[in-house]
Amino acid sequence: MLETFIQLSFYESILHFMQTLTEVIIAAGWRGRVLSETQLARLLDGSAQRRYNLVNRALRRGELVRLRRGRYRLAAAVGGTAPHPFVVAQALRAGSYVSFESALSFHGLIREAVPATLSVVPGRRRDEMSVPGQGSFLFWPLALNPGYFLEGVGRVVFDGQAALVARPLRALLDRCCLLRSDWPGVEALLQGLRIDPDGLAALWDDELEALRPVYRHRRMCAVIDAMQEAWAV
């Protein structure tokens, strides 16, 4: 009996060892996830060389897509679905959050689709990446005060995977900061960004004071003052 159990365990181990990387990922229920090297190491038995070989084989077959070094996902044709672009953005640049027009569109303030996923990234390096089947991703650094990077930013879950997304006022102020522009006024904002008037009216200025210490430039304080005056009318 014990001998039979050992033989079965041995054959099960061999069968698992012979599975393709795609089969292992699907069996784990991770078909729509962005996967790191650490997660792949937990899924796969054997040496680092075996893991390297399985990854390269899946890439050659077109079953796996490399988002960047150390970040992968199953091809949509294999996994049946692709991760949300905001989740991909987090995988491409750790510590970033989605903002600007991308966040405004997500919150329903912009009616038109935004062609790229726009994010704020810590540090000073601007970055741009293109991922097959997912589109373009742009990452912009802003002049922010230490300790306030995630002020006005929320955590949103897409099919079990989390992404950081700026709330509407933070996204709006981030855009002013990026463009180094003054507050254009409500009418100009509605025309320039094609923001839904009802959506803009639904915003409230209570959060503006909390966002005042976020930005380094004094010009942003003047922008917040102008916004508060506009809301008070």
Side-chain angles (χ1 to χ4, degrees), residues 24-203:
V24 172
I25 292 173
I26 292 175
W30 289 0
R31 64 172 66 229
R33 287 183 173 272
V34 175
L35 301 170
S36 66
E37 292 281 5
T38 302
Q39 289 171 314
L40 291 179
R42 290 203 300 266
L43 283 178
L44 299 171
D45 296 330
S47 65
Q49 183 62 48
R50 175 179 179 261
R51 185 168 68 251
Y52 175 81
N53 293 339
L54 287 172
V55 168
N56 281 341
R57 190 177 306 152
L59 289 170
R60 287 196 301 271
R61 290 176 175 175
E63 298 173 355
L64 195 69
V65 176
R66 180 185 281 116
L67 302 179
R68 68 168 178 82
R69 182 182 177 88
R71 291 291 186 275
Y72 308 90
R73 69 167 174 83
L74 285 181
V78 177
T81 184
H84 193 281
F86 291 5
V87 174
V88 174
Q90 302 279 273
L92 293 174
R93 287 298 301 271
S96 65
Y97 67 87
V98 177
S99 188
F100 311 119
E101 286 89 338
S102 294
L104 292 171
S105 176
F106 171 74
H107 291 296
L109 271 75
I110 296 179
R111 296 171 178 174
E112 299 176 357
V114 180
T117 300
L118 311 175
S119 299
V120 176
V121 68
R124 298 183 178 180
R125 184 168 66 91
R126 177 187 177 277
D127 209 350
E128 181 175 355
M129 304 182 196
S130 180
V131 177
Q134 297 273 191
S136 299
F137 297 82
L138 280 72
F139 301 87
W140 299 90
L142 296 178
L144 306 176
N145 286 314
Y148 291 94
F149 186 78
L150 294 179
E151 187 71 39
V153 176
R155 182 176 180 272
V156 182
V157 178
F158 302 93
D159 296 325
Q161 299 182 89
L164 297 175
V165 184
R167 292 195 285 272
L169 281 176
R170 177 66 193 266
L172 205 55
L173 288 172
D174 281 350
R175 186 177 184 276
C176 290
C177 182
L178 176 66
L179 298 178
R180 300 180 180 180
S181 63
D182 297 325
W183 173 244
V186 174
E187 290 301 322
L189 188 70
L190 293 175
Q191 294 176 7
L193 278 176
R194 298 177 183 268
I195 287 183
D196 181 2
D198 294 334
L200 188 63
L203 297 179

Side-chain angles (χ1 to χ4, degrees), residues 2-19:
L2 179 60
E3 183 179 353
T4 302
F5 176 76
I6 292 174
Q7 289 176 342
L8 287 173
S9 298
F10 173 75
Y11 288 128
E12 287 173 355
S13 298
I14 292 296
L15 180 62
H16 179 70
F17 193 83
M18 292 175 63
Q19 281 183 304

